[in-house]
């Protein structure tokens, strides 16, 4: 008999039918009731064993974590908590799980503990929910862009350009560290290396994405990116996934509109397609918050928070306006910020971003027109203002509980300006000739942004540590599994 997935059985009404289910034992109660999960849904099915007619030795092997195949009749359940169950006529243990050794017992484990056994944590309800939502969001990203006619572009993971400046890079090399080829002056001879030049893991697909956008009009990338930054925070990974659309003929407002539409589409998709998972995570969060004092609990539960995000326009304001708000804010006046905002030009730290979204506006915020000095060379320069301040058409989207979720800009399409900025920042133009060619041949206004995929998953699942929304996190001093 072919296997039926539990997800389909839980909604079935054709009682009396013979079914076979394969899955893993979650619990086994009273020598009678097996809760089985096969990953197709966060919910388990109950299989009822006739223990009086079942071999004692076989019953002993029904332990948490064991893989089983069960055949029996689908019946309406008399018990509370489930609609259907399977009356077992045949039970086979596919793989035993020694209860003395299996680390996942049917009780609540801390997320920290589960992180240490990340190879097994998929089997918990929490991670079942998180990674189902991660999957749904990834699918929805492609759906969104495909529906809009964007071309999915695979930009390289190994890159020869190190000028992007988005962060510290991981060197890719086959040079034997015990036998480094050297030039006469003692420097490393990269001609001997695999690619005949220094190469790194990419920090962003943007520059290559721009090349494609200047032919296809609208493209996006969705792939892994790598940053060797030593930031041990709950929002940084050394390997993370980024979605980077790049569009010809979009100005910064078009860019913001697209980003806001994308974020809302993805949240709506999760709400519409991951109901069980979100409900589970919502309750999990409510339980967790019971440990906290009243004033530290969230005003909105997970579902209400997501709904709120859909129903409200993101607040749009300039960096200059934001700095005024921050300068006059209570935590700045009372010197509670670690980095005090003295005036225009200061880089915004995550404490400032979170004050703006969580305390001041209480909703997602898009900040624009940052000082050129604190942003990348490829961002389009605005006219210098009366005070002589130079700003660029950058836009960052800040989310409650997350901080920056999107970073983007209108790109500098004017060759002279771009060369000027590269010169200021000591970026060697001759190494970037391929990039500059877009500005030499048929340059046009264009824009793009990067959405950090794990930060999105964090927001939608309500998880609080980025290590818990990627299957096998890579962080400083940790690359296990
Ligand atoms: P942050 O200031 O938070 O470090 P950033 O300014 O370095 O971010 P960008 O270079 O603009 O970020 O990257 C675009 C997006 O990628 C960010 O908005 C964020 O969502 C995500 N991102 C950046 N760095 C990381 C990281 N180390 N781990 C996970 N996501 C990241
Ligand atoms: Mn960063």
């Amino acid at each position: 008999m072919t296997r039926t997935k539990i997800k389909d059985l839980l909604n079935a009404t054709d009682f009396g039918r013979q079914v076979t289910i394969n899955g893993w034992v979650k619990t086994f109660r009273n020598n009678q009731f097996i809760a089985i999960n096969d990953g197709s849904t966060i919910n388990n099915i109950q299989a009822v064993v006739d223990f009086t007619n079942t071999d004692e030795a076989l019953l002993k092997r029904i332990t948490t974590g064991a893989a089983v195949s069960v055949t029996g009749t689908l019946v309406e359940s008399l018990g509370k908590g489930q609609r259907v169950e399977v009356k077992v006529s045949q039970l086979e243990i596919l793989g035993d799980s020694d209860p003395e050794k299996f680390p996942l017992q049917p009780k609540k484990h801390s997320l920290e503990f589960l992180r240490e056994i990340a190879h097994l944590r998929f089997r918990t309800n929490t991670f079942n929910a998180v990674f189902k939502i991660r999957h749904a969001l990834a699918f929805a990203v492609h759906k969104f862009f495909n529906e809009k006619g964007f071309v999915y572009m695979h930009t390289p993971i190994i890159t020869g350009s190190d000028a992007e400046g988005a962060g510290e890079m991981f060197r890719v090399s086959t040079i034997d560290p015990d036998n480094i080829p050297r030039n006469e002056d003692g420097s490393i001879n990269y001609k001997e290396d695999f690619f005949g030049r220094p190469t790194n893991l990419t920090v962003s697909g943007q520059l290559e994405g721009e090349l494609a956008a200047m032919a296809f009009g609208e493209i996006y990338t969705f792939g892994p990116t790598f940053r060797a930054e030593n930031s041990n925070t709950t929002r940084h990974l050394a390997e993370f996934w980024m979605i980077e659309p790049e569009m010809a003929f979009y100005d910064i407002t078009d860019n913001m509109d697209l980003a806001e539409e994308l974020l809302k589409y993805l949240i709506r998709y999760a709400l519409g397609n991951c109901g069980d998972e979100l409900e589970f995570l919502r309750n999990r969060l409510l339980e967790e918050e019971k440990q906290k004092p009243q004033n530290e609990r969230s005003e909105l539960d997970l579902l209400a928070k997501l709904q709120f995000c859909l129903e409200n326009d993101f607040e749009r304001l300039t960096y200059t306006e934001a700095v005024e708000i921050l300068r006059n804010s209570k935590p700045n006046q009372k010197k509670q910020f670690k980095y005090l905002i003295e005036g225009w030009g200061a880089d915004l730290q995550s404490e400032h971003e979170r004050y703006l979204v969580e305390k001041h506006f209480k909703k997602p915020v898009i900040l624009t027109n940052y000082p050129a000095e604190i942003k990348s060379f490829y961002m389009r320069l605005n006219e210098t203002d009366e005070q002589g301040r130079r700003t660029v058409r950058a836009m960052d989207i800040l989310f409650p509980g997350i901080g920056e979720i999107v970073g983007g800009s209108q790109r500098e399409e004017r060759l002279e300006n771009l060369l000027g900025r590269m010169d200021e920042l000591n970026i060697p133009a001759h190494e970037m000739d391929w990039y500059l060619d877009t500005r030499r041949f048929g340059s046009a206004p264009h824009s793009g942004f990067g959405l950090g995929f794990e930060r999105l998953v964090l927001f939608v699942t309500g998880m609080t540590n980025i290590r818990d929304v990627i299957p096998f996190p890579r962080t400083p001093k940790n690359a296990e599994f």
Side-chain angles (χ1 to χ4, degrees):
M1 187 183 290
T2 51
R3 155 190 183 222
T4 313
K5 290 196 184 176
I6 292 172
K7 186 184 169 101
D8 300 327
L9 286 182
L10 291 178
N11 296 320
T13 48
D14 48 346
F15 302 119
R17 165 181 153 209
Q18 284 292 106
V19 294
T20 296
I21 46 177
N22 295 348
W24 292 269
V25 175
K26 297 289 266 196
T27 56
F28 184 38
R29 285 187 300 117
N30 298 351
N31 233 7
Q32 207 178 165
F33 304 110
I34 323 175
I36 303 177
N37 188 280
D38 68 357
S40 62
T41 154
I42 192 167
N43 300 311
N44 307 325
I45 199 162
Q46 174 159 290
V48 189
V49 197
D50 175 9
F51 62 93
T52 51
N53 287 315
T54 309
D55 188 18
E56 186 76 22
L58 184 60
L59 289 173
K60 279 221 165 66
R61 292 170 64 199
I62 308 173
T63 56
T64 299
V68 293
S69 181
V70 160
T71 301
T73 321
L74 186 70
V75 295
E76 203 161 3
S77 178
L78 301 174
K80 262 208 203 142
Q82 68 266 330
R83 218 174 47 78
V84 304
E85 60 190 27
V86 175
K87 215 167 148 245
V88 179
S89 54
Q90 209 184 318
L91 182 139
E92 188 190 344
I93 307 283
L94 301 174
D96 289 283
S97 174
D98 183 344
E100 299 294 315
K101 293 186 182 139
F102 187 55
L104 287 175
Q105 291 309 314
K107 61 161 197 172
K108 207 166 159 45
H109 295 291
S110 75
L111 295 173
E112 289 75 17
F113 170 72
L114 293 173
R115 226 171 277 148
E116 285 168 20
I117 51 162
H119 57 302
L120 294 172
R121 69 178 176 170
F122 294 126
R123 298 220 205 150
T124 64
N125 288 334
T126 299
F127 288 96
N128 179 305
V130 166
F131 291 117
K132 277 285 180 59
I133 292 171
R134 185 179 165 111
H135 157 77
L137 289 169
F139 180 78
V141 165
H142 291 299
K143 190 163 145 54
F144 175 84
F145 285 117
N146 189 53
E147 281 164 6
K148 285 193 169 294
F150 281 56
V151 175
Y152 179 28
M153 196 52 62
H154 294 106
T155 50
I157 287 172
I158 299 175
T159 164
S161 94
D162 61 358
E164 213 276 332
E168 292 297 307
M169 301 182 105
F170 288 101
R171 175 62 41 94
V172 175
S173 171
T174 53
I175 288 179
D176 176 0
D178 295 324
N179 187 16
I180 299 175
R182 300 213 178 259
N183 298 312
E184 265 162 31
D185 63 1
S187 59
I188 299 173
N189 180 7
Y190 284 106
K191 293 219 168 59
E192 297 282 310
D193 203 350
F194 188 90
F195 295 106
R197 57 177 298 167
T199 48
N200 297 290
L201 292 180
T202 186
V203 291
S204 155
Q206 179 202 320
L207 300 188
E208 291 90 351
E210 281 186 56
L211 312 180
M214 298 313 282
F216 294 97
E218 294 162 320
I219 67 99
Y220 71 105
T221 74
F222 185 5
T225 48
F226 306 85
R227 297 196 185 173
E229 51 193 1
N230 204 353
S231 23
N232 233 321
T233 76
T234 54
R235 291 167 306 103
H236 288 91
L237 291 163
E239 175 181 298
F240 65 100
W241 288 64
M242 189 148 58
I243 297 133
E244 295 181 278
E246 196 66 42
M247 301 77 61
F249 319 119
Y250 276 51
D251 66 13
I252 187 168
T253 306
D254 302 324
N255 203 21
M256 286 190 276
D257 290 346
L258 181 75
E260 183 166 344
E261 187 187 343
L262 169 65
L263 286 164
K264 287 180 171 168
Y265 180 96
L266 296 174
I267 293 167
R268 192 174 298 115
Y269 188 87
L271 280 168
N273 292 275
C274 307
D276 287 351
E277 288 79 10
L278 286 171
E279 183 62 27
F280 174 84
L281 291 172
R282 169 184 171 268
N283 292 330
R284 184 185 168 279
L285 271 180
L286 289 175
E287 272 312 305
E288 206 175 77
E289 294 222 318
K290 281 188 188 154
Q291 324 282 327
K292 291 187 186 168
Q294 193 78 41
N295 64 339
E296 282 175 31
R297 296 183 198 166
S298 327
E299 287 169 35
L300 300 176
D301 73 20
L302 181 61
L303 293 177
K305 179 190 86 171
L306 298 177
Q307 203 61 45
F308 177 87
C309 200
L310 292 185
E311 285 162 7
N312 291 279
D313 289 341
F314 296 1
E315 189 73 34
R316 299 183 184 191
L317 71 159
T318 64
Y319 165 91
T320 306
E321 289 163 336
V323 161
E324 262 326 283
I325 293 171
L326 288 167
R327 215 166 50 81
N328 298 320
S329 70
K330 238 194 217 156
N332 201 55
Q333 307 275 324
K334 291 193 170 168
K335 305 204 187 319
Q336 286 157 346
F337 282 145
K338 188 159 166 239
Y339 299 91
L340 293 180
I341 298 286
E342 314 279 3
W344 202 89
D347 202 353
L348 302 186
Q349 305 295 328
S350 109
E351 57 179 346
H352 308 127
E353 299 177 341
R354 295 185 66 161
Y355 174 83
L356 288 171
V357 252
E358 287 157 31
K359 297 278 172 342
H360 191 84
F361 291 111
K362 293 184 189 280
K363 60 163 151 161
V365 167
I366 314 185
L367 289 186
T368 55
N369 296 321
Y370 283 75
E373 273 58 43
I374 58 172
K375 287 289 181 185
S376 308
F377 74 95
Y378 50 71
M379 297 187 177
R380 194 182 192 286
L381 269 178
N382 286 313
E383 298 291 311
T384 308
D385 73 6
E386 304 87 60
Q387 285 110 308
R389 295 162 167 176
R390 280 201 318 173
T391 55
V392 287
R393 287 187 200 165
M395 62 111 180
D396 281 4
I397 304 188
L398 316 177
F399 260 36
I402 305 289
E404 183 189 324
I405 193 164
V406 164
S409 69
Q410 184 172 333
R411 315 306 189 192
E412 181 57 81
E413 82 281 16
R414 300 161 299 182
L415 182 63
E416 284 313 306
N417 289 49
L418 194 55
L419 286 171
R421 284 287 284 149
M422 289 171 76
D423 194 45
E424 280 175 30
L425 296 167
N426 291 320
I427 299 171
H430 60 92
E431 282 178 23
M432 302 284 291
D433 242 10
W434 53 273
Y435 179 68
L436 293 167
D437 267 359
T438 53
R439 276 63 170 179
R440 291 192 182 106
F441 309 116
S443 189
H446 63 288
S447 300
F449 60 84
L451 164 61
F453 187 54
E454 284 75 19
R455 295 205 185 160
L456 171 75
V457 183
L458 265 183
F459 181 74
V460 174
T461 58
M463 301 296 282
T464 48
N465 192 319
I466 200 162
R467 292 165 181 79
D468 295 332
V469 298
I470 188 164
F472 301 105
R474 269 77 183 99
T475 50
K477 300 281 176 287
N478 170 43
E480 217 185 328
F481 310 109

